[in-house]
Amino acid sequence: METNVIWRNARAAVIELDDGGYFTCADTWEIFVNDEPAGTTNTVETYVDGLTPGKRNLVRFVCGERELSVGVTTPAEPFTINVRDCGAKGDAEHDDTTNIQAAIMACPKGGRVLIPAGSYRIKSLFLKSNINIELAEGAVLLARHDRASLAYIPGTVTGNEGAGYAGTLVAPGPLGGRELLDLLLYLYGSERARRVHLWSRRDRRSD
């Protein structure tokens, strides 16, 4: 049985447990990241988070007396912008759209936008490539659904009433001349973690 690092980021990786299965493994494996318990898996491709940026992390998979390990060297995460430092309040009343958008736009390539615990009322947020956005445990985005409060992008969609109004999280696409690449959203909540990861290609790499 082999392990392969399919994809990595500063704080997470996708690791393949190649036991001949297509989707699930024959057994359930315990996961340890740098000797700390990190859950279990029985899937061939496993999303592992909790990695430390800018270092070689040891990920171990243990099933009874069997053990597999792989080293994952993560890229450095040179900068973190806390949205509270940009004026976001997270009190469920203040409109934090402009404050969070400012953090996203100011974040340099490879950096992280941190949204700490709180309830953030927002309208449309425009995302961008090559950054990490982390919603800490206890952080909630409260989307406004009244159409008049959302961003309007004229000329994008025609034929339907209200077409052209942006959603809450807006990812520019090829039709707009831009395409998001290497954006990672960490969404922590009542479960251990819920993630949405977007990347441009799946490079099979191991250290």
Side-chain angles (χ1 to χ4, degrees):
M1 185 169 178
E2 298 180 352
T3 57
N4 300 296
V5 179
I6 297 176
W7 170 86
R8 79 195 71 190
N9 195 271
R11 296 172 181 268
V14 175
I15 299 175
E16 179 186 46
L17 298 176
D18 188 2
D19 70 346
Y22 288 104
F23 302 106
T24 60
C25 299
D27 301 295
T28 298
W29 296 79
E30 294 181 85
I31 307 170
F32 295 86
V33 175
N34 298 322
D35 294 324
E36 294 292 329
T40 61
T41 183
N42 67 345
T43 59
V44 172
E45 292 187 359
T46 297
Y47 187 101
V48 178
D49 59 8
L51 306 182
T52 302
K55 68 168 288 186
R56 184 178 175 84
N57 295 263
L58 177 63
V59 180
R60 296 189 297 122
F61 298 89
V62 178
C63 180
E65 297 182 354
R66 293 177 295 163
E67 180 174 324
L68 300 169
S69 63
V70 61
V72 183
T73 300
T74 52
E77 196 170 62
F79 203 81
T80 294
I81 299 179
N82 189 319
V83 298
R84 296 292 184 105
D85 294 333
C86 295
K89 298 185 182 301
D91 59 3
E93 295 183 7
H94 178 258
D95 188 335
D96 291 318
T97 305
T98 301
N99 312 97
I100 297 176
Q101 188 69 63
I104 291 172
M105 299 311 296
C107 188
K109 182 177 180 179
R112 174 175 64 146
V113 174
L114 175 62
I115 304 177
S119 296
Y120 301 84
R121 187 166 295 281
I122 60 170
K123 299 191 286 284
S124 302
L125 290 175
F126 288 80
L127 308 178
K128 72 175 187 179
S129 299
N130 301 308
I131 65 171
N132 303 328
I133 302 176
E134 179 177 338
L135 275 75
E137 186 170 0
V140 178
L141 298 181
L142 301 175
R144 294 185 59 176
H145 298 294
D146 48 313
R147 181 174 295 164
S149 69
L150 299 177
Y152 183 76
I153 308 174
T156 53
V157 182
T158 60
N160 295 316
E161 182 182 356
Y165 284 94
T168 303
L169 298 180
V170 184
L175 291 178
R178 299 171 56 200
E179 184 174 2
L180 280 179
L181 301 175
D182 299 310
L183 166 70
L184 181 65
L185 305 181
Y186 298 87
L187 311 177
Y188 293 89
S190 57
E191 304 171 7
R192 179 173 175 273
R194 295 191 295 271
R195 285 88 29 167
V196 177
H197 43 280
L198 307 173
W199 60 90
S200 57
R201 58 189 181 280
R202 290 155 56 98
D203 295 326
R204 300 174 69 90
R205 300 176 294 180
S206 59
D207 297 329

